Amino acid sequence: MNAQAVLSSREQLYEASRQEFEKIIGYLDSEEAGMKSHSDIERELEKRGRELMRKLLQEHLEARGPGESTQPVRGSDGVDRTRVRPQERKLESIFGTVSTERAGYGQKGSPSLHPLDAELNLPPHKYSLELGRRVAEEAAKNSFDETLQSIHKITGAHVPKRQIEEMVKRAAVDFDAFYENRQTHLDRNEPSGSIMVLSADGKGVVMRLQDLREQTRKAARKRRHKMGARLSKGEKKNAKRTATVAAVYTMDPFVRRPEDLLAGEESSGERMPRPRPENKRVWASLEKPPEEVIEKAFEEAASRDPTQRKKWVALVDGNKPQIRILRRMAKEKRIDLTIIVDIIHVIEYLWEAGRAFYPESGPELENWVRVRILEILRGKAGYVAGGIRRSATLRGLAPAIRKPVDTCADYLLTYGPYLKYNRYLAQGFPIATGVIEGACRHLVKDRMELTGAKWSLAGAEAVLRLRALRSSHDFDEYWTFHEAQEYERNHRSLYAGGDVPSTLKKRSNRKRLKSHLEVIK
């Protein structure tokens, strides 16, 4: 074959794409385009360019050939596939629909195997993995309806809404395996702060009746609304399932005095910069019970600090079951864990109590709260509890009015062991649950509380996983892992010994073509 013939053969491989490209050039050079605005031309180029990309991909698949095996094809069932026949499949890509005709190796009573599918790492369903990635990223941010519109707008793919939901579930399937794998391959020499922080909280999500926890489902079925048009006082329209939210991160100590927290802008001197959380990972689960989520938090922390050289701190909002779980697990794992109840929740109780003495907002109420916050920060929560009770008694407050005072005092006494803020501040520990509160908001509330949304358990869990990956800046790394897992599941596991046969390349004249081109040069 002479050099000119080789070049002609090479050009023919992508003839349809070349013609499409020439059409785009022709459009840009036309009188019609000369009358368009810049935005109009951008939109037209995007549409035409997407079709060009689709044709390029289609022709590339055709050029790769049917993927005939160069060796016997034996499945994981031990059966040799000796019958070969071409089988076509369609694939929805980010550019649009393409198809490929590949060699299918089968045997009576055994499913066919396609070595080319393995070579391309094609999924068993119609939608490409890259399209799945785009869907997963969009669904993590927006509703399924908005995801559908976005995918149709920014890609050439056509995906029904039902398939959007299924793709999201498939996209999140390797979440746990990804983090377990990363924990075993973690670089423990990477520098990080000396404080290891664990935090947990809960956030309710409106669910379909069948996906509520059993006790909540039974209560929801028994509930009867008094009126048909609107809810009565105390009635709830929907029932929720609580998602357990967890966070793990490290940080440098930030030593302060109680007075420093109340100094405000009038304080003299420059303030020390507050250390930022490092290597923060946040996640949430509706499916798993709180014990399992908190157990995963301990595993994540232990993978980062296996010898417990750091000081371990757990920040909570006063949830008693969470505290019991934390205490039990720390004891079982022999971890010296300091449990801290969030100062912000304490302050909220103080404000409610203060209004019993000073119903009107003003300097007196503010000063009353401020004085008692300072005493609590100095480690005198029990002293404050006794003091506000005595004040309520001396003032002769009616039971209904003094109720928030007694509630606040009970809270301070109940959680006294976790309110030693003077010790925590001296060691540089954090005393506020800002990280986990933020996670509850942006991980759960901002996405899951869309108007009218009622979630299935599987769909909600998948979305929470994808949002967690994005919030923890792990999505790209996860997707690489996910595609590798897809190859193992959909291809390698189907062949005997996990040995995927190599394929005969239709473009086996590549080397010959390359040598001819070198001659021309």
Side-chain angles (χ1 to χ4, degrees):
M1 184 184 292
N2 59 37
Q4 186 174 359
V6 172
L7 281 176
S8 177
S9 174
R10 184 167 183 261
E11 288 174 352
Q12 289 175 3
L13 288 176
Y14 293 94
E15 182 60 29
S17 301
R18 294 177 192 279
Q19 291 178 8
E20 188 68 31
F21 180 72
E22 289 299 328
K23 287 182 182 178
I24 295 174
I25 296 295
Y27 165 75
L28 291 173
D29 201 35
S30 69
E31 192 173 317
E32 178 191 357
M35 303 294 291
K36 299 284 186 179
S37 69
H38 186 276
S39 296
D40 289 336
I41 294 173
E42 277 189 296
R43 285 188 285 269
E44 187 65 25
L45 271 180
E46 181 183 29
K47 182 176 71 174
R48 291 173 179 252
R50 196 176 290 146
E51 176 60 15
L52 172 60
M53 294 299 106
R54 190 196 67 79
K55 288 186 175 180
L56 281 168
L57 177 58
Q58 177 63 64
E59 291 185 300
H60 171 79
L61 293 174
E62 292 170 358
R64 287 182 80 139
E68 296 165 306
S69 175
T70 59
Q71 61 197 83
V73 177
R74 174 174 292 183
S76 57
D77 54 8
V79 176
D80 288 327
R81 269 71 169 172
T82 57
R83 298 179 180 178
V84 187
R85 62 174 181 172
Q87 295 176 329
E88 186 180 18
R89 68 166 295 179
K90 293 189 181 298
L91 189 72
E92 197 71 22
S93 76
I94 59 173
F95 308 120
T97 306
V98 294
S99 63
T100 176
E101 189 177 77
R102 71 271 203 261
Y105 290 80
Q107 197 68 27
K108 188 175 181 180
S110 300
S112 295
L113 296 177
H114 307 88
L116 183 63
D117 284 9
E119 186 177 278
L120 291 167
N121 195 14
L122 298 182
H125 48 79
K126 180 181 178 181
Y127 306 98
S128 75
L129 289 176
E130 181 56 30
L131 179 57
R133 176 193 177 100
R134 306 291 178 92
V135 167
E137 288 188 294
E138 286 297 318
K141 296 182 291 184
N142 303 309
S143 71
F144 290 142
D145 285 329
E146 289 174 320
T147 297
L148 179 69
Q149 294 173 15
S150 181
I151 290 300
H152 288 178
K153 188 174 183 179
I154 65 176
T155 76
H158 296 280
V159 189
K161 182 182 175 182
R162 178 64 181 272
Q163 288 304 317
I164 291 279
E165 297 179 23
E166 293 303 314
M167 290 170 73
V168 167
K169 295 173 189 176
R170 287 194 294 265
V173 73
D174 293 311
F175 181 85
D176 288 332
F178 167 71
Y179 281 108
E180 288 170 7
N181 178 73
R182 197 172 72 170
Q183 287 169 9
T184 60
H185 297 90
L186 195 65
D187 180 10
R188 295 184 178 90
N189 295 320
E190 184 179 351
S192 62
S194 61
I195 301 175
M196 176 67 67
V197 184
L198 296 79
S199 194
D201 204 347
K203 184 66 179 174
V205 177
V206 175
M207 306 293 290
R208 297 173 185 171
L209 185 63
Q210 64 269 27
D211 288 317
L212 294 168
R213 298 195 197 282
E214 184 178 358
Q215 187 174 356
T216 312
R217 184 170 62 250
K218 288 179 179 178
R221 282 176 174 159
K222 291 179 181 178
R223 192 161 52 229
R224 294 289 182 270
H225 294 155
K226 298 176 182 177
M227 297 185 290
R230 59 180 297 164
L231 297 176
S232 302
K233 185 177 180 180
E235 288 184 338
K236 296 180 180 179
K237 182 178 180 181
N238 299 302
K240 294 183 176 183
R241 181 172 178 140
T242 300
T244 303
V245 186
V248 176
Y249 57 94
T250 56
M251 64 181 298
D252 289 320
F254 186 38
V255 178
R256 292 157 293 169
R257 301 172 303 158
E259 294 77 12
D260 295 334
L261 274 71
L262 300 179
E265 296 180 358
E266 70 275 6
S267 62
S268 59
E270 295 184 3
R271 289 192 173 191
M272 293 291 291
R274 180 184 295 273
R276 303 290 297 172
E278 304 163 330
N279 305 315
K280 180 175 65 176
R281 181 193 163 195
V282 296
W283 72 102
S285 179
L286 283 156
E287 192 175 69
K288 297 175 182 175
E291 293 86 348
E292 193 170 341
V293 176
I294 294 174
E295 174 72 32
K296 291 293 183 183
F298 272 95
E299 290 176 6
E300 177 72 24
S303 71
R304 304 182 188 191
D305 183 32
T307 58
Q308 298 179 36
R309 294 182 179 180
K310 302 181 188 297
K311 295 179 179 178
W312 286 43
V313 170
L315 279 166
V316 295
D317 64 358
N319 182 293
K320 290 181 180 179
Q322 286 179 2
I323 291 176
R324 284 196 294 269
I325 294 168
L326 287 165
R327 285 171 58 90
R328 175 174 55 79
M329 289 187 179
K331 183 178 180 180
E332 291 173 354
K333 299 174 186 298
R334 298 182 180 180
I335 294 172
D336 183 11
L337 180 69
T338 300
I339 300 176
I340 302 173
V341 168
D342 172 40
I343 184 64
I344 303 301
H345 284 77
V346 175
I347 292 173
E348 289 174 357
Y349 279 95
L350 275 175
W351 277 104
E352 290 299 317
R355 293 187 187 281
F357 300 106
Y358 303 99
E360 299 295 327
S361 298
E364 289 180 319
L365 172 60
E366 188 175 19
N367 186 62
W368 186 94
V369 173
R370 183 186 181 90
V371 168
R372 282 148 188 83
I373 291 173
L374 184 57
E375 291 303 306
I376 291 172
L377 290 171
R378 288 170 174 166
K380 299 179 180 179
Y383 168 80
V384 172
I388 62 176
R389 271 202 172 121
R390 283 192 297 272
S391 295
T393 301
L394 290 172
R395 295 193 183 197
L397 297 182
I401 296 175
R402 71 170 287 163
K403 184 178 179 180
V405 176
D406 291 327
T407 300
C408 178
D410 290 341
Y411 186 89
L412 294 175
L413 293 173
T414 300
Y415 294 103
Y418 314 112
L419 306 181
K420 309 297 184 184
Y421 297 117
N422 54 327
R423 300 179 189 175
Y424 310 149
L425 294 173
Q427 296 180 78
F429 293 165
I431 61 171
T433 55
V435 170
I436 197 69
E437 294 287 344
C440 286
R441 185 182 66 254
H442 70 255
L443 201 61
V444 184
K445 185 177 186 296
D446 291 350
R447 175 65 177 88
M448 313 305 284
E449 292 190 5
L450 299 178
T451 303
K454 280 190 178 182
W455 291 89
S456 68
L457 182 57
E461 187 76 3
V463 169
L464 286 175
R465 289 179 173 188
L466 295 175
R467 285 182 71 80
L469 287 163
R470 286 176 53 83
S471 295
S472 303
H473 306 291
D474 290 333
F475 188 89
D476 289 341
E477 186 181 349
Y478 167 79
W479 199 261
T480 300
F481 178 84
H482 173 65
E483 289 202 358
Q485 293 297 103
E486 285 284 278
Y487 179 80
E488 291 291 324
R489 270 191 298 270
N490 302 327
H491 304 295
R492 193 166 181 271
S493 64
L494 304 181
Y495 294 87
D499 184 18
V500 180
S502 57
T503 61
L504 181 66
K505 309 296 182 187
K506 187 175 179 180
R507 293 187 293 178
S508 55
N509 351 341
R510 268 177 173 267
K511 292 182 179 179
R512 186 167 51 185
L513 175 64
K514 185 177 180 182
S515 64
H516 280 294
L517 292 174
E518 290 297 331
V519 171
I520 295 172
K521 290 181 180 178

